[in-house]
């Protein structure tokens, strides 16, 4: 835990993000040394969600997606399981993408509270991993920021046989998000956050809470784990899935509203 060294969590988090080398931790030399998450049975389908306007495939097979961006160190762990029998799905391709600390995605202009941030050509907070024999992939990242109209989230896609089996979103506890945003410099902004898990339409449509991660503190990072239940025989491709029952108007600065899909 952060407090084991005698420092407060606030002090430790501030120290972590103040040092770029710590904010972008390198992949361990032996990936197998990372302990496996306990494969507790899931056996339920993870709800599909819209990909939003910010997805593109940078074709980057990598575990560290930070590219030196500042923020609170976070490891994202996905465990892909067959919902029918809870068996790990080896070889699944997992794509992730999310905002950096200031709420901006890589690769797009017109972002930010005043629509003056241009990240065209950027690829930070994007990457791909292939699930191992346990159905697991792990990414080194930072805790995502926020932007108007959406709660804190990470997007993901699960591919099998070059087809998008599932598009979903991972959600985080609001209390932890607020703590980080209020106490870590990289996340501080003049604008006030206006959307939370309790009033985000897409988060509310996740009735099973299958997209809400399990998160805990480690010595120098947070670990967010999501067990993703998939069904290879069901029509879970987002294009063939019913739209979420709640469809709020997306508010993404600089992007034509007609092109937004609650991303």
């Amino acid at each position: 835990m952060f407090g084991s060294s005698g420092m407060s969590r606030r002090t430790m988090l501030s120290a972590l993000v103040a040092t770029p080398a710590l904010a972008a931790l390198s992949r361990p030399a032996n990936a197998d040394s990372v302990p496996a998450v306990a494969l507790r049975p899931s056996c339920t389908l993870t709800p599909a969600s819209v990909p939003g306007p910010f997805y593109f495939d940078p074709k980057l097979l990598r575990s560290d997606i930070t590219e030196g961006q500042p923020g609170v160190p976070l490891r994202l762990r996905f465990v892909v399981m067959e919902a029918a029998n809870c068996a790990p799905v080896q070889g699944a391709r997992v794509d992730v993408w999310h905002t950096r600390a200031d709420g901006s995605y890589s690769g797009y202009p017109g972002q930010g509270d005043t629509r003056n941030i241009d990240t065209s050509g950027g690829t930070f907070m994007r990457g791909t991993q292939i699930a191992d024999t346990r159905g697991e992939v792990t990414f080194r990242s930072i805790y995502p920021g926020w932007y108007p109209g959406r709660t804190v989230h990470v997007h993901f896609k699960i591919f099998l046989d070059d087809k998008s089996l599932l598009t979903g979103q991972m959600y985080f506890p609001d209390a932890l998000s607020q703590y980080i945003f209020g106490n870590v410099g990289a996340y501080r902004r003049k604008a006030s956050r206006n959307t939370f898990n309790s009033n985000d339409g897409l988060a509310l449509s996740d009735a099973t809470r299958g997209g809400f991660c399990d998160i805990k503190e480690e010595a120098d990072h947070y670990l967010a784990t999501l067990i993703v239940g998939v069904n290879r025989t069901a029509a879970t491709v987002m294009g063939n899935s019913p739209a979420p029952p709640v469809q709020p108007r997306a508010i993404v600065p600089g992007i034509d509203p007609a092109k937004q899909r609650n991303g």
Side-chain angles (χ1 to χ4, degrees):
M1 295 295 183
F2 287 119
S4 61
S5 65
M7 300 176 69
S8 70
R9 177 163 64 169
R10 179 180 302 181
T11 303
M12 179 62 78
L13 287 173
S14 298
L16 283 172
V17 298
T19 308
L22 289 176
L25 296 173
S26 60
R27 180 176 172 82
N30 182 3
D32 293 335
S33 66
V34 178
V37 66
L39 291 178
R40 60 177 174 81
S42 175
C43 299
T44 58
L45 284 172
T46 298
S49 187
V50 294
F54 291 115
Y55 175 73
F56 69 88
D57 178 12
K59 295 180 171 52
L60 292 172
L61 186 66
R62 60 183 182 176
S63 61
D64 189 338
I65 62 175
T66 60
E67 296 189 9
Q69 294 289 329
V72 173
L74 174 72
R75 289 188 190 179
L76 297 167
R77 176 181 285 162
F78 294 85
V79 185
V80 185
M81 302 180 71
E82 174 61 56
N85 57 11
C86 297
V89 181
Q90 181 179 2
R93 168 185 160 182
V94 181
D95 286 10
V96 298
W97 70 103
H98 67 84
T99 71
R100 63 186 180 187
D102 69 353
S104 300
Y105 288 91
S106 59
Y108 291 86
Q111 299 185 76
D113 298 327
T114 58
R115 304 187 182 186
N116 64 344
I117 296 176
D118 187 350
T119 63
S120 298
T123 56
F124 56 81
M125 311 309 162
R126 298 180 187 272
T128 296
Q129 285 282 279
I130 305 301
D132 61 16
T133 57
R134 300 181 298 255
E136 294 187 31
V137 300
T138 303
F139 296 89
R140 288 184 180 271
S141 190
I142 62 166
Y143 200 89
W146 64 273
Y147 57 92
R150 287 306 319 277
T151 192
V152 180
H153 61 284
V154 167
H155 296 272
F156 63 89
K157 280 180 176 283
I158 310 294
F159 292 88
L160 291 177
D161 300 326
D162 297 324
K163 292 183 180 180
S164 177
L165 178 69
L166 177 69
T167 299
Q169 296 186 24
M170 173 193 284
Y171 300 106
F172 295 79
D174 275 328
L176 177 59
S177 297
Q178 286 299 94
Y179 178 86
I180 289 174
F181 299 159
N183 291 285
V184 180
Y187 296 88
R188 290 177 185 156
R189 291 153 59 179
K190 293 181 179 179
S192 297
R193 184 180 172 207
N194 64 355
T195 308
F196 304 84
N197 295 338
S198 60
N199 65 342
D200 180 289
L202 290 176
L204 289 172
S205 72
D206 184 355
T208 66
R209 296 186 67 83
F212 286 77
C213 68
D214 292 322
I215 191 163
K216 64 177 182 176
E217 294 179 5
E218 298 289 358
D220 58 357
H221 63 274
Y222 283 104
L223 173 64
T225 298
L226 188 68
I227 297 180
V228 182
V230 300
N231 187 335
R232 304 186 207 212
T233 61
T236 55
V237 177
M238 191 59 215
N240 297 327
S241 300
V246 181
Q247 293 291 330
R249 183 176 71 89
I251 307 172
V252 182
I255 304 296
D256 184 348
K259 297 180 180 179
Q260 294 186 47
R261 291 186 291 172
N262 306 306

